[in-house]
Amino acid sequence: MTAPQPPDAALATPSPRRTRGGAVIVGPTIRARYVPGALIGLPLVSLLLSPFAAAGLQQWRFGRLRQGHDALLEQLLAPAWVQLLLGALLLWALFALWGIVPMLLTHRVVRLDEASGTLALRKGLRTVDRAELGQLDYAVGEAERGSIALIGIRSAEHAPGAAPARPRSSGGEAPTTRQWVVQEIGWDAASFDGLRALQTLSGLRPAPPRGVLVRENRRLRIARANHELADRLGMRWRPEYEHDETAFRVEFDRIRRVLGGKEKPRPGDPV
């Protein structure tokens, strides 16, 4: 999140998800995290494991036939492709249920009500903590998937405009800031825009849009890897290689040809 901010990126208006009541959602919703896996990942796993489910259905059908049952259901399960299809669907439903239950219990998100200026930390389907927008101390997070957001909340007596707190007689001062953790803040652009909206409304400097940060992080990773390749060959590193991968590749290939004896070296080339 220390990437340089282009002029248009700094002025980009956040577009976060909102509740039906209009509250800003800081972080991904359960639907945003669950739907891609339920519609893409789980069906693929179910198809791979469908032969095992089909074998179980076949054994169940044979047991029913031995007991003298030969109704419409047993007849429909006679073809192997029906057993495979039904087995995949049953596994899909089972995996989908297993996936949604822990997510409902552990999912964390922050809701910001702009009208009342209140924050609510929700875990699963319940609210576990509340605060005023004026109590916000910091709000930071990374744009990559798998990252978290850290939101610092000052105690009410230390919020701006609050009355001075009474001095403690003994035992020292209690911590004045508690920290909220929001998982997968970089899940998608709308999730990260919730954090940007929170930063904007609280008077903090908003982060650039997620797409800008992701591209910058990718550029830094590529530049770091290219720098390591250049060091291995003894190749001279130039500042323009940080932003121009094509120029680096052209020079890198030339140095390889020089070291391989296929091209004459230039002044400053490794030998």
Side-chain angles (χ1 to χ4, degrees):
M1 291 181 54
T2 59
Q5 297 188 24
D8 56 340
L11 299 176
T13 303
S15 300
R17 294 186 180 90
R18 295 178 180 270
T19 63
R20 294 181 179 179
V24 174
I25 300 177
V26 183
T29 59
I30 294 178
R31 176 184 176 86
R33 292 184 59 188
Y34 178 74
V35 170
L39 297 183
I40 300 176
L42 294 183
L44 295 177
V45 175
S46 301
L47 287 175
L48 292 176
L49 299 179
S50 59
F52 300 99
L57 290 174
Q58 188 179 38
Q59 291 298 322
W60 177 84
R61 176 176 177 271
F62 286 161
R64 295 280 294 179
L65 292 176
R66 284 193 294 268
Q67 296 174 7
H69 301 282
D70 192 11
L72 180 61
L73 179 59
E74 288 76 15
Q75 296 175 9
L76 291 176
L77 289 176
W81 67 270
V82 174
Q83 298 173 7
L84 289 171
L85 178 60
L86 184 58
L89 293 176
L90 290 175
L91 288 177
W92 186 3
L94 180 61
F95 292 155
L97 180 61
W98 282 350
I100 193 63
V101 170
M103 188 174 294
L104 286 174
L105 297 176
T106 62
H107 184 74
R108 284 175 176 262
V109 73
V110 172
R111 292 185 180 180
L112 166 60
D113 190 337
E114 300 176 74
S116 61
T118 57
L119 299 169
L121 175 64
R122 294 183 57 88
K123 182 179 180 182
L125 301 178
R126 59 192 180 93
T127 300
V128 296
D129 200 357
R130 295 182 182 274
E132 299 293 331
L133 186 58
Q135 296 177 244
L136 186 68
D137 189 18
Y138 58 84
V140 295
E142 298 293 335
E144 300 289 342
R145 283 196 173 186
S147 59
I148 61 175
L150 301 178
I151 300 174
I153 304 296
R154 289 189 293 265
S155 57
E157 62 268 18
H158 290 84
R166 296 180 179 178
R168 294 177 177 269
S169 58
S170 61
E173 293 187 356
T176 59
T177 302
R178 61 187 187 273
Q179 186 171 265
W180 293 353
V181 178
V182 179
Q183 302 167 344
E184 291 290 354
I185 192 65
W187 181 262
D188 55 15
S191 303
F192 195 73
D193 275 355
L195 178 64
R196 296 179 62 230
L198 176 62
Q199 294 169 337
T200 302
L201 294 171
S202 62
L204 300 174
R205 183 181 180 182
R210 179 179 181 271
V212 175
L213 293 175
V214 169
R215 288 192 297 269
E216 179 64 15
N217 290 340
R218 179 179 179 276
R219 183 194 67 78
L220 291 176
R221 288 195 299 267
I222 294 176
R224 192 180 302 114
N226 290 341
H227 209 314
E228 294 178 358
L229 291 175
D231 291 340
R232 291 179 183 178
L233 295 186
M235 172 183 165
R236 183 172 52 187
W237 183 262
R238 297 176 180 175
E240 58 265 26
Y241 295 158
E242 290 282 346
H243 301 274
D244 192 346
E245 184 182 5
T246 302
F248 168 79
R249 287 296 174 183
V250 171
E251 183 66 9
F252 182 76
D253 291 339
R254 189 188 68 82
I255 294 298
R256 291 179 60 188
R257 292 193 298 270
V258 169
L259 295 177
K262 298 181 179 180
E263 188 173 329
K264 293 183 179 180
R266 302 175 185 175
D269 287 348
V271 294

